[in-house]
Amino acid sequence: LVNNRNISDVKFAVGLFDVISLPKIKENYRILINKQNKFSLSKISESEANTLLLRIDNKRTVAKGKTQINFMNGWNKLVSKGNYKTSDVVVFDTKANKIVSTLNLKVGSIVYFIGGKHAGISGKLSKISETGTLRKHKVAKVSFGKESVESSLNNIIVIGDTKPIIKVEI
């Protein structure tokens, strides 16, 4: 099972945060990024296997006042109401096929690097700023331990408000 869907195609593509479940042996794995910026499997518990984090990359208003949310993995979802912003993350329940909650991108949130040279590391978001004169570029300052680094806002994803919702250690 991939995200609680039975997949028979051996060439089916999986991506970041996707959950691979093997029901016969009762094991679940999440796709994460390791320190070498490569995909790797992390064993997770049965209770966490239904949770999927999806970053909102774009949104638009469609017919009859509904909003279409476009996620980082290519999925789309029509919603009638809600305060969804770009770069926020929705917690999606794959068993019920619905959005459970939203994680806002704000100072103090726990974030996970999904790109750049710090990929695979989680930390606390300490500052969001803009650089550039003609083209504005958003930069996030993330602290982990005694270190703090700056990276593009596209390289991070929120994984929790005060503590991570999913296990991100490999």
Side-chain angles (χ1 to χ4, degrees), residues 66-91:
K66 295 212 177 227
T67 303
Q68 176 181 325
I69 302 172
N70 304 323
F71 298 112
M72 71 176 194
N73 65 350
W75 290 4
N76 300 320
K77 187 82 172 165
L78 283 177
V79 293
S80 56
K81 59 184 176 197
N83 190 16
Y84 301 104
K85 292 183 253 172
T86 305
S87 296
D88 285 352
V89 172
V90 296
V91 180

Side-chain angles (χ1 to χ4, degrees), residues 22-161:
L22 306 168
K24 287 187 179 180
I25 59 173
K26 296 181 180 173
E27 289 193 0
N28 302 294
Y29 298 92
R30 185 176 307 278
I31 306 287
L32 293 175
I33 297 176
N34 62 16
K35 308 281 193 257
Q36 290 81 32
N37 212 355
K38 305 282 184 211
F39 284 140
S40 61
L41 296 173
S42 174
K43 193 170 185 176
I44 58 172
S45 66
E46 183 71 32
S47 61
E48 196 179 312
N50 299 327
T51 305
L52 187 63
L53 298 182
L54 301 169
R55 185 177 68 192
I56 300 172
D57 279 349
N58 192 9
K59 67 177 185 172
R60 66 183 60 168
T61 304
V62 293
K64 298 179 184 172
K66 295 212 177 227
T67 303
Q68 176 181 325
I69 302 172
N70 304 323
F71 298 112
M72 71 176 194
N73 65 350
W75 290 4
N76 300 320
K77 187 82 172 165
L78 283 177
V79 293
S80 56
K81 59 184 176 197
N83 190 16
Y84 301 104
K85 292 183 253 172
T86 305
S87 296
D88 285 352
V89 172
V90 296
V91 180
F92 192 79
D93 185 359
T94 56
K95 193 162 223 143
N97 198 21
K98 67 176 187 173
I99 296 173
V100 177
S101 64
T102 306
L103 300 172
N104 297 323
L105 180 70
K106 61 182 185 287
V107 174
S109 297
I110 305 298
V111 296
Y112 182 74
F113 281 94
I114 60 173
K117 70 179 193 178
H118 299 288
I121 299 173
S122 61
K124 187 178 246 186
L125 182 63
S126 56
K127 183 180 174 185
I128 299 173
S129 60
E130 284 188 350
T131 61
T133 53
L134 295 175
R135 286 184 70 188
K136 298 291 183 186
H137 182 73
K138 291 196 175 190
V139 175
K141 186 173 184 181
V142 179
S143 59
F144 44 93
K146 295 180 180 180
E147 276 186 71
S148 69
V149 296
E150 288 187 353
S151 183
S152 171
L153 205 59
N154 295 331
N155 288 341
I156 63 171
I157 183 171
V158 180
I159 58 170
D161 287 328

Side-chain angles (χ1 to χ4, degrees), residues 6-22:
N6 191 6
I7 305 295
S8 58
D9 183 13
V10 293
K11 294 184 179 180
F12 183 80
V14 293
L16 185 64
F17 295 136
D18 281 345
V19 176
I20 299 171
S21 301
L22 306 168

